[in-house]
């Protein structure tokens, strides 16, 4: 199984979970059907024309119907965002296999899960809505609820014990480490340049190579750069995790982010940045580190609020070997690789586990707050949205591309604060994909259907799609695709003593052949040729010993023949041996030699020769010997 | 030649002629040649040689050397060329049989040194300088030099080859310059031998299979037709048109650029202006058959001509418009837009192929856009450009650049892929978009131009250089529209544009990229500077309102503290302009400090003065001074409140500044102030001012003097006069001379000065410095602007110094460049001798 991501967009259908009692949210009217029925008014609330489920947010799990997940042997994880559904798989499906991921992926993935669990568990919700999921009810609901996919499979968030159990099934791997999977294939993680520890995977046998490229970046940000060279010579390249916002250049967006932040703060407003606790935030803090002095923002406090803020900031500093070259060299100076250490030291950046406690004492405005969750449905961000939403001086800047910012803002309407959308997605765009494919030249590209056509909203942008030769094979949700290659060969090893006994015969310059008689031993998908058992000595009696079942029968070896029969010379030889009426006919596959007098036919084809004569064994043997004279034996 | 030089010359010649004494520095020889070039312009060359026999001896001596250095030989060839430019001198050296040994077959031509490019170059240059009279021409023809020049045309050294080509052009035009009548055929007339040799050579080269020979010959012809507009050039063309036409038909691409140059050079000559001339047929053929890049250059050249057949013009215009037409059609449905060209006339297949390819698309579009931009700026345009569709095509290019255009064909899709994010094309397109402002109206701007400009200004993906171009184009349009008579409706539409523009601008002022902040400030400065002068009162007030209601002034003020000095400087200039429009101080609210107390914002004057005093970088301080000059000159309200106090405090600060440009700015401020003061009290040199009586004039003078005294103007000017930076001292000197002329004429002096001061002797800088030191030591600290009664310095003292100091003498010495002594010929000759001496010493040291 390649990756194990969690679709969190389902949470956008739910009401936010406020940290403190929100009079606004609690006063939202219940939703009433067109016919006046009010049976759903406890479960569904209406806010500015949108309907939301008033319940604990639920998540959309990976596809479970198509495949029995208990039969999955291995899960390969590309990056920490792509493992968020892991507890659902490992704890609920009978999964007994192994999960492979790099160390930073596991550590930061754990932080993301821990944050998610914390956000949801610390605001327990008394009621749980389920009526609305009924199929009959669902079709009566307004969009987007009625169009929601597989609502019956939506699940509440997992718990910390489940997270711990899931993570205990992960085996840590390092970049370029070769891992044998049951002898059948070898898998290798490669740096993908997107996030700390993010990987692309190579899955290869001796004769086939499949590359799985997911969430990669060619930009110079904090992680180790993408390893492109190792992706070369792939039979199939599975390409996914491209940028979600191909029209937004990350450099330009960072510029926008800084400008909007400065404009707001200079006007006395506060800036709210809904974000994940790891990833782009490191780059944003680095950018702000260089920018705040030039923008005159030295006195503006920056707050990073997350239950895992401290761990995230500190983890980033210790994963030196997973960082880009510049940051690695800093470690040897020794200096902290990320400048946020200095921001913390100089008190410009302060971090808190939540808005409660120290934060409320230190809180000063105007300020900039980085906090989760980017969906705006849970986490400390909900509090700030409620707090600052009423003033047009404040700005919320969306940098994470995973959620539609308009949908995220829907339950906060009407909203006075300014909203700026600066999605910073450093993953590959289509120009970079095009260059990558030219560089690594896979025989076939397999990708989601969405990548093979321009985005629906910009159908004229033919540059925003994968353009490669041969055209990429695309797949849709729940579609079964046969990869365009077959395993034709297996590698077989020869034991040294057997190899020693071979006598190769050169049949063409540079090509030697030898016959091998051996026992093929196959175990765990490894094939080995072992020397055959010694021939059994015949017993004194004339009776042949019965061949035992466990020892293979060892017949005397017949020589193998090679070469082709030159027809002119063959006819001459026949004539020399007294066959006077030789006729040769050409056929599609070779020749037929007719010996009319002897009423005999010799069919000579590329890989077979038949002598058809009328029960004249002497003649047949004579002719056979004549044929054999022209062939090599070994 | 003066006596000192004449004395120094023989030993120098001895050194130069001595192969053991190498002159290490070649620049000496170059300076030596320059000196003789100047000398021969004013003195007779023959006289020079006769008076200084060492020169002839030098030539003889070098020729006799067994193994002269290549640099010395090259020098001698060029030196001889300078002398022999005079016919008498030529004869003089010819009689001594020196010329054959230098330029003939016996000379360096046959020696091993000819392998040295410097010797060949010296030979060509020597011959070129010499060829100023018929004797030289005869000499060259007789000694076989012409053939040598032909060979040198293909010299491996490009410098030599190019010089040889120029020499042939010179020989041909010089030998034919006496031809005033129009010969019918080259064979029928008695053309000079040189020309008779050269023309068949050219003909043969043009027919040769060697691309380099063809190009050289075309280059030669281009130069001939470019520099000579005599009638014989027409005969030359008639002789050579056949091989050139052949070239055009068979090898158009290899020699394409050279052919373009040739045709344009000919087309500019009045000799070929007649519409029936065969040149136009060839040019028309070239437009059709050259590749689009070459044809584009030819077209642009043709369209700039005043005299040209209209058909050729139209053809040239079609060539230039074709790529734009393709772009336009690639983004519009056939019925939606007719295009720039008539379909039946244009074959766009080649252009479409070029536009489909990434490497050629950008360069073709950039080149076409640049040519069209040049045409738009022409005041005289012989053909009518289809402005509206052309503008539409430029906007389409820009739309493609940001992914806004919808491709209407497969070509459109390809162009779209290529142009998205292609900064080169975006820059060129924005340049031409700005140029359209000269031609188009308000409605066009509001139609499509404003949208695309705003799109570029807003887009976060716009690169800093493209953004700068967007600002420039926007500025051009806004300035142009503000100058055009417009109705109220137009202003209302523009107002919305301004609102959008200022929203973008305030974001750009907060950019994390300093280049963007700087470009935005530069744009703002220029915009306000132009619009505050252009708009009539109502619009100006409305413009001011839109500006003040945005955050732009506040953010601009914030940038006065930007960490980047360029940005601070630009912010200073922007604030300088903004302060004319906005009464900022009243708009900016007081802020609270940390203790909850209100802090009153500093006035903009105080802020700029603080920058002048404290900023560690020169750019912001220079910017402040330039703003202050503008304020003083234009009568800024904050300055008018107390001009004396303002000027006095600025001069005091500038006086201590170590940056000479700040000081020079301070001097300009002083100049403006003195002119204003004298003008205010009626002493300026205005011809219409009524004549005032001597008494009134004297009173006015005293009044001015008192003002100058109070602001310590003269203390500043005298200090600057003693400054070690020459431009500062020069400027101070010229201001003082002007003031002296106003204040110290004979009449005005009578009243102000006592008898013992009447005839002081002229003094120099040392005396002035002493006087200034005395003043400063006697002066007690006192508040600015209050005369120091106790000091020995008083207005009369100042006048006395002004009259006493030898300003004219100082001015003369300051106007001489600081290296005038080092540049003299004596110094050069002494240096040559000294260098040889040093070499000898070093040699001795080695042993």
């Amino acid at each position: 199984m390649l990756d194990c991501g969690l679709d969190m967009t389902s949470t956008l259908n739910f009401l936010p979970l406020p940290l403190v009692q929100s009079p606004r949210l609690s006063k939202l009217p219940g939703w009433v059907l067109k016919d006046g029925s009010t049976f759903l008014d406890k479960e569904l609330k209406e806010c500015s024309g949108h309907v939301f489920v008033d319940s604990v947010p639920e998540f959309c799990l990976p596809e479970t119907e198509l495949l029995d997940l208990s039969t999955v042997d291995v899960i390969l994880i590309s990056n920490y965002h792509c493992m968020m559904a892991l507890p659902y798989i490992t704890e609920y499906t009978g999964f007994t296999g192994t999960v492979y991921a790099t160390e930073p992926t596991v550590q930061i993935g754990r932080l993301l899960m821990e944050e998610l669990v914390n956000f949801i568990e610390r605001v327990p919700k008394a009621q749980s809505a389920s009526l609305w999921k009924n199929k009959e009810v669902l079709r009566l609901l307004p969009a987007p609820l009625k169009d929601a996919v597989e609502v019956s499979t939506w699940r509440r968030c997992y718990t910390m014990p489940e997270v711990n159990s899931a993570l205990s099934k992960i085996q840590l791997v390092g970049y370029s480490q070769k891992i044998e999977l049951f002898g059948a294939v070898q898998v290798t993680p490669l740096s993908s340049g997107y996030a700390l520890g993010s990987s692309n995977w190579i899955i290869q046998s001796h004769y086939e190579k499949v590359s799985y490229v997911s969430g990669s970046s060619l930009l110079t940000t904090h992680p180790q750069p993408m390893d492109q060279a190792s992706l070369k010579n792939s039979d199939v390249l599975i390409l996914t995790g491209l940028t979600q916002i191909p029209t937004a250049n990350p450099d330009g967006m960072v510029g926008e982010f800084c400008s909007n932040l400065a404009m707001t703060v200079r006007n006395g407003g506060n800036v709210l940045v809904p974000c994940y606790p790891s990833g782009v935030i490191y780059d944003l803090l680095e950018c702000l580190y260089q920018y705040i002095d030039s923008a005159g923002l030295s006195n503006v406090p920056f707050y990073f609020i997350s239950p895992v803020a401290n761990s995230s900031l500190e983890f980033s500093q210790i994963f030196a070997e997973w960082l880009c070259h510049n940051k690695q060299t800093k470690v040897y100076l020794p200096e902290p690789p990320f400048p946020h250490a200095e921001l913390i030291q100089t008190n410009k950046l302060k971090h808190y586990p939540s808005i409660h406690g120290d934060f409320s004492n230190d809180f000063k405005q105007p300020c900039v707050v980085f906090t989760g969750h980017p969906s705006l449905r849970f986490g400390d961000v909900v509090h700030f949205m409620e707090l600052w939403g009423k003033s047009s001086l404040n700005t919320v800047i969306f940098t994470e591309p995973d959620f539609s910012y308009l949908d995220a803002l829907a339950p906060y309407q009407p909203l006075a604060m300014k909203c700026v959308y600066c999605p910073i997605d450093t993953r590959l765009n289509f120009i970079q994909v095009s260059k990558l494919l030219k560089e690594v030249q896979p025989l076939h590209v397999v990708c989601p259907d969405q990548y093979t056509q321009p985005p629906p909203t910009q159908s004229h942008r033919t540059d925003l799609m994968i353009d490669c030769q041969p055209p990429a094979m695309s797949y849709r949700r729940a579609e079964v695709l046969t990869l365009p290659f077959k395993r034709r060969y297996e590698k077989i090893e020869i034991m040294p003593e057997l190899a020693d006994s071979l006598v190769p015969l050169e049949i063409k310059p540079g090509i030697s052949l030898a016959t091998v008689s051996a026992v093929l031993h196959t175990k765990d998908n490894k094939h080995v040729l072992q020397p055959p058992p010694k021939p059994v000595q015949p017993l004194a009696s004339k009776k042949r010993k019965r061949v035992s079942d466990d020892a293979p029968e060892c017949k005397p070896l017949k020589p193998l023949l090679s070469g082709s029969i030159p027809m002119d010379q063959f006819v001459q030889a026949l004539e020399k041996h007294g066959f006077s009426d030789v006729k040769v006919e050409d056929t599609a596959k070779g020749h037929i030699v007719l010996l009319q007098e002897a009423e005999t036919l010799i069919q000579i084809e590329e890989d077979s020769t038949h002598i058809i004569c009328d029960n004249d064994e002497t003649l047949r043997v004579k002719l056979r010997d004549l044929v054999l004279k022209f062939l090599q034996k070994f | 030649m003066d006596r000192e030089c004449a004395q120094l010359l023989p030993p120098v010649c001895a050194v130069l002629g001595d192969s053991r004494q190498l002159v290490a520095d070649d620049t000496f020889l170059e300076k030596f040649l320059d000196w003789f070039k100047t000398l021969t312009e004013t003195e007779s060359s023959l006289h020079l040689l006769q008076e200084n026999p060492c020169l002839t001896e030098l030539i003889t001596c070098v020729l006799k050397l067994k193994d002269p250095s290549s640099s010395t030989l090259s020098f001698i060839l060029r030196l001889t060329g300078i002398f022999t430019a005079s016919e008498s001198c030529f004869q003089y050296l010819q009689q001594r049989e020196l010329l054959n040994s230098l330029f003939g077959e016996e000379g360096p031509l046959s020696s091993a040194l000819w392998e040295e490019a410097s010797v060949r170059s010296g030979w060509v240059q020597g011959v070129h300088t010499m060829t100023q009279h018929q004797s030289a021409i005869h000499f060259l023809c007789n000694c076989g030099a012409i053939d040598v020049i032909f060979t040198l045309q293909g010299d491996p050294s490009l410098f030599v080859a190019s010089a040889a080509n120029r020499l042939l052009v010179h020989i041909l035009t010089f030998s034919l310059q006496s031809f005033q009548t129009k010969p019918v055929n080259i064979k029928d007339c008695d053309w000079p031998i040189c020309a008779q040799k050269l023309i068949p050579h050219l003909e043969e080269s043009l027919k040769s299979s060697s691309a380099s020979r063809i190009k050289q010959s075309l280059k030669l012809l281009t130069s001939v037709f470019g520099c000579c507009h005599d009638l014989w050039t027409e005969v030359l063309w008639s002789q050579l048109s056949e091989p050139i036409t052949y070239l055009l038909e068979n090898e158009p691409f290899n020699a394409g650029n050279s052919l373009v140059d040739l045709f344009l050079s000919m087309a500019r000559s009045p000799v070929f202006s007649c519409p029936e001339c065969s040149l136009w047929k060839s040019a028309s053929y070239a437009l059709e058959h050259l590749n689009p890049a070459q044809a584009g250059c030819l077209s642009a050249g043709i369209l700039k001509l005043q005299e040209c057949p209209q058909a050729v013009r139209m053809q040239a215009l079609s060539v230039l418009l074709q790529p734009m037409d393709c772009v336009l059609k690639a983004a519009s449905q056939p019925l939606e837009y007719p295009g720039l060209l008539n379909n039946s006339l244009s074959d766009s297949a080649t252009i479409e192929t070029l536009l489909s390819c990434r490497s050629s698309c950008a360069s073709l579009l950039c080149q076409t856009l640049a040519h069209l931009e040049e045409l738009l700026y022409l005041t005289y345009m012989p053909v009518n450009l289809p402005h509206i569709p052309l503008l539409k095509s430029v906007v389409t290019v820009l739309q493609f650049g940001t992914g806004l255009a919808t491709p209407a064909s497969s070509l459109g899709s390809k162009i779209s892929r290529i142009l998205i994010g292609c900064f080169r094309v975006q820059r060129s397109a924005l340049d031409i978009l700005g140029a359209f402002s000269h031609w188009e109206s308000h409605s066009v701007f509001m139609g499509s131009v404003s949208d695309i400009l705003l799109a570029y200004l807003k887009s976060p993906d716009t690169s800093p250089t493209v953004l700068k171009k967007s600002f420039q184009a926007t500025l051009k349009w806004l300035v142009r529209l503000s100058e055009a008579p417009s109705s109220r409706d137009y202003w209302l539409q523009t107002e919305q544009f301004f609102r959008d523009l200022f929203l973008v601008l305030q974001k750009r002022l907060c950019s994390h990229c300093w280049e963007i902040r700087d470009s935005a400030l530069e744009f703002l400065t220029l915009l306000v500077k132009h619009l505050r002068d252009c708009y009539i009162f109502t619009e100006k007030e409305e413009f001011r309102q839109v500006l003040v209601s945005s955050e732009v002034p506040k953010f601009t003020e914030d940038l006065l503290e930007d960490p980047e000095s360029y940005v601070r400087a630009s912010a200073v200039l922007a604030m300088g302009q903004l302060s004319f429009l906005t009464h900022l101080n009243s708009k900016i609210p007081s802020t609270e400090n940390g203790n909850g107390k209100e802090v009153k914002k500093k006035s903009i004057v105080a802020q700029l003065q603080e920058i002048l005093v404290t900023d560690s970088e020169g750019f912001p301080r220079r910017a402040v001074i330039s703003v202050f000059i503008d304020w003083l000159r234009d009568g800024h309200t904050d300055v008018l409140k107390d001009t004396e106090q303002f000027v006095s405090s600025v001069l005091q600060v500038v006086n201590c500044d170590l940056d000479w440009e700040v000081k020079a700015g301070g001097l300009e401020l002083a100049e403006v102030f003195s002119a204003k003061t004298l003008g205010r009290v009626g002493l300026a040199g205005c011809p219409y001012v009524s004549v005032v009586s001597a008494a009134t004039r004297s009173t006015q003078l005293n009044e001015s003097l008192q003002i100058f005294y109070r602001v310590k103007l003269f203390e500043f000017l005298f200090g600057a006069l003693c400054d070690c930076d020459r431009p500062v001292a020069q400027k101070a000197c010229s201001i003082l001379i002007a003031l002296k002329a106003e204040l110290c004429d004979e009449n005005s002096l009578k009243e102000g000065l006592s008898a013992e001061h009447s005839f002081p002797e002229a003094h120099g800088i040392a005396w002035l410095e002493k006087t200034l030191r005395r003043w400063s030591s006697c002066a007690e600290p006192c508040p600015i602007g209050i005369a120091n009664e106790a000091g020995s310095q008083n207005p009369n003292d100042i006048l006395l110094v002004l009259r006493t100091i030898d300003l004219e003498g100082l001015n003369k010495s300051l106007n001489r460049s600081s290296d005038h002594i080092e540049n003299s010929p004596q110094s050069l000759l002494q240096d040559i001798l000294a260098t040889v001496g040093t070499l000898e010493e070093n040699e001795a040291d080695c042993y």
Side-chain angles (χ1 to χ4, degrees), chain A residues 249 256 266 291 460 462, chain B residues 403 417 461 507 510 551 554:
Chain A
N249 173 7
E256 283 286 290
R266 281 182 188 171
Y291 177 64
H460 66 283
T462 52
Chain B
R417 277 166 173 267
D461 292 337
K507 199 188 326 175
C510 295
E551 303 291 342
K554 181 178 181 299

Side-chain angles (χ1 to χ4, degrees), chain B residues 743-773:
Chain B
L743 301 174
C744 302
D745 62 13
E746 281 182 31
N747 294 332
S748 60
L749 280 174
K750 277 178 193 166
E751 297 289 326
L753 293 175
S754 56
E756 69 264 32
H757 290 146
S758 295
F759 302 102
E761 56 179 296
H763 287 295
I765 283 291
W767 176 84
L768 180 62
E769 281 176 335
K770 203 172 145 190
T771 311
L772 289 176
R773 270 200 301 277

Side-chain angles (χ1 to χ4, degrees), chain A residues 378-405:
Chain A
F378 36 83
D380 302 276
V381 74
V382 177
H383 177 75
F384 288 101
M385 285 302 296
E386 292 290 332
L387 185 71
W388 291 342
K390 298 173 202 85
S391 167
S392 62
L393 282 178
N394 303 323
T395 306
V396 53
I397 308 181
F398 291 87
T399 56
E400 300 290 352
D402 288 351
F403 300 93
S404 150
Y405 78 104

Side-chain angles (χ1 to χ4, degrees), chain B residues 62-87:
Chain B
V62 170
L63 282 175
K64 277 182 189 164
L65 286 178
K66 273 187 184 169
D67 192 16
S69 75
S70 56
S71 58
T72 309
L73 187 56
S74 172
F75 162 73
I76 289 297
L77 287 164
R78 287 187 289 162
L79 184 68
T80 314
I82 291 171
F83 291 133
T84 51
S86 131
E87 198 160 6

Side-chain angles (χ1 to χ4, degrees), chain A residues 102 173-177 188-193 195-199 224 322:
Chain A
T102 62
V173 289
Y175 285 150
S176 304
Q177 184 184 336
T188 313
L190 305 171
S191 171
S192 77
L196 277 175
S198 66
S199 327
Q224 216 181 87
W322 306 90

Side-chain angles (χ1 to χ4, degrees), chain A residues 247-249 251-256 258-260 262-263 266-267 287 291 293-294 460-463 465 467, chain B residues 402-407 413 417 420 458 460-461 506-507 509-512 517 551 554-555 558-559 562-563:
Chain A
T247 49
N249 173 7
D251 285 338
M253 285 299 131
V254 169
E256 283 286 290
C258 290
S259 308
N260 284 296
M263 281 201 305
R266 281 182 188 171
N267 281 331
C287 183
Y291 177 64
D293 287 335
S294 69
H460 66 283
R461 293 289 298 268
T462 52
D463 57 313
M465 56 186 269
D467 179 27
Chain B
T402 48
L404 291 171
T406 309
S413 300
R417 277 166 173 267
I420 285 177
K458 273 181 193 168
D461 292 337
Q506 66 193 41
K507 199 188 326 175
L509 290 174
C510 295
S511 169
H512 69 309
R517 299 199 295 275
E551 303 291 342
K554 181 178 181 299
F555 290 169
D558 289 346
L559 291 178
D562 198 277

Side-chain angles (χ1 to χ4, degrees), chain B residues 474-626:
Chain B
T474 309
L475 183 71
K476 280 181 186 161
W477 275 94
L478 291 176
V479 170
R480 177 71 188 154
L481 294 177
S482 70
E483 286 164 355
S486 63
S487 74
R488 185 84 196 127
D489 291 346
Y490 284 152
W491 164 251
L492 291 176
Q493 288 170 16
T494 320
E495 184 181 346
Q496 186 50 47
F497 178 78
F498 275 122
R499 287 191 192 282
D500 295 339
L501 178 68
F502 290 143
L503 276 177
V504 174
L505 201 59
Q506 66 193 41
K507 199 188 326 175
R508 295 300 188 181
L509 290 174
C510 295
S511 169
H512 69 309
C513 172
W514 73 262
E515 290 93 337
I516 291 181
R517 299 199 295 275
D518 197 48
S519 299
L521 286 168
E522 203 173 65
F523 167 74
L524 179 66
T525 310
L526 293 170
L527 183 74
V528 176
K529 188 180 166 71
H530 281 98
L531 296 196
R532 77 181 168 93
D533 294 338
C534 291
Y535 277 145
I536 55 165
F537 179 75
T538 336
E539 287 171 355
K540 189 171 172 176
E541 180 52 28
E542 280 166 349
F543 171 69
R544 198 188 76 83
Q545 284 297 336
V546 176
L547 181 62
V548 171
S549 64
S550 76
E551 303 291 342
V552 169
K554 181 178 181 299
F555 290 169
T556 307
E557 193 179 351
D558 289 346
L559 291 178
L560 291 174
E561 290 169 16
D562 198 277
E564 187 61 51
S565 64
Y566 297 117
V567 179
R568 289 201 300 279
S570 299
V572 166
L573 294 173
M575 286 306 291
Q577 288 300 328
L578 281 175
S579 67
F580 279 108
L581 266 191
T582 58
H583 301 292
L584 287 173
N585 299 332
S586 57
K587 292 285 166 193
I588 298 167
S590 299
T591 52
E592 278 192 6
N593 67 7
N595 306 324
K597 289 182 180 171
E598 278 206 345
V599 178
K600 190 150 172 66
K601 271 268 182 187
K602 281 181 188 167
S603 75
I604 185 64
V605 182
Q607 275 180 292
L608 296 195
Q609 279 182 332
E610 192 177 326
I611 291 173
L612 189 62
V613 177
T614 57
D615 204 304
S616 57
E617 296 281 340
F619 301 109
R621 302 204 305 274
R622 290 175 205 168
V624 170
I625 274 293
S626 88

